[in-house]
Amino acid sequence: KFLHMRCAAHIVNLIVQDVLKEVELSIKRVRAAVRYIKNGTSRLVKFKELALEEKVKSKAFLNLDVCTRWNSTYIMLKAAITYAKVFTRYCEDDPLYALDLSEEKGGFGYPDEMDWENARKMAAFLAHFYDLTVRVSSSLHVTSNNFLFEVGNIHILVQNWMSSTDPLQKAMAERMKEKFDKYWGSWHENEKVKDKGPIVNERGKGKKKEKEEKEKENLNLLIFIAAALDPRYKLSDFTRLTTLEIFGVESGEKVWYAVNKCVRELFEEYRVRLTTPEPTTPAISQVTIEGGGGGASMMKELIASRLRQNSSGGSASSKSELEKYLAEDSEDPDKKIDILGWWKENSSRFPILANMARDILAIPITTVASESAFSTSGRILDDFRTSLTPFMVQFLVCTQDWLRRSTNPVDIKENLEELEVLEKGKSISQLVHT
């Protein structure tokens, strides 16, 4: 029932790629300008000199994006808009800049003031999705418990932009709204739909057969249960109001009812599976008699056994683990907690819920980490490195993993002086000696 989980990063990619079409020409012009500067060492030197004259202080320099990866487009735009006035100065100093990027040469033209304004708006827009993708793509800590609120953040962003007076923002929000509702913003109840259609049997005679189909929710209910298993949220008004905000009051109430029902049904399934059956009453009595105990001891053991059965069975006279958990005060929503550590510490009080939490909180809401792991070999073994030994491949993978996990990332900077020497035609040996 809950096996199908849509990848959050893929949905974000669909939303963003659709919105990028609104300013496609401006992005192409900025990309072409960045490529022009980075394609020559003398151009880079001149560009940096102009940046110093314009007193542009930025640690990030120009980056060329990969057209199919919107996150790299965001990084490119974020860096390029910082140097917008430097590009304007460079156009005045280098006549080939405008000529090479002109439509006569097969280009899209160089970016003007309107293009830079569009780039600023798009960078501000993409920043929200970039940060969200980084948060949900983490593989070192739990992400499923915050997914519901991440969807809520996108909902608020869409609503704010739809009410904007800026025509570009409004157009982008309308595109986003369509994709958001398709994957996250609508709700369909699981109703059985009977459809009678003719089928043909082996003898060629037609007959009627009933087919039952079920509509599926756009959001997996485990996302709501993961939020409920976070001691900061539970099934509180905080989670309920978030649900109503995303789906609207009418649909939101249906969703909230389905979530409450699902939480209790899932808990009951775990309780039945994990609860060990107690010995029957006659067996306990027989052991007591053989042990030579008195009648008082027999009665105490009998009553104690039945009390244990009632407490584990969730009878009407005692609260279940779930009810006790939900009845306790929630943690501060703004408090940062180690949710796995919290459930480990409280597993003795809530053993069944702890098992639920272990299974549900382990669900990754994106496939980014797994896809990256499977594509590692392609980044190491290419057409020019196909003769590496297994030991060397393992060595490279391990080193790459260490570099990525390092708290101090490796910063590789271009040595412009050496590049100038190479550009003038000097050999490597001359470069080494100099």
Side-chain angles (χ1 to χ4, degrees), residues 266-282:
L266 193 60
F267 171 78
E268 182 63 21
E269 186 168 330
Y270 269 81
R271 185 195 65 77
V272 172
R273 183 166 62 88
L274 297 174
T275 303
T276 55
E278 294 290 335
T280 60
T281 302

Side-chain angles (χ1 to χ4, degrees), residues 271 275-282 284 301-315 317-318:
R271 185 195 65 77
T275 303
T276 55
E278 294 290 335
T280 60
T281 302
I284 296 176
E301 288 194 29
L302 175 63
I303 299 303
S305 173
R306 290 183 177 176
L307 287 174
R308 285 195 297 270
Q309 289 179 352
N310 290 338
S311 61
S312 63
S315 64
S317 60
S318 61

Side-chain angles (χ1 to χ4, degrees), residues 166-179:
D166 186 282
L168 177 60
Q169 287 185 341
K170 195 166 185 178
M172 289 193 295
E174 288 173 355
R175 284 180 177 267
M176 289 171 58
K177 179 67 174 174
E178 183 179 350
K179 278 288 192 293

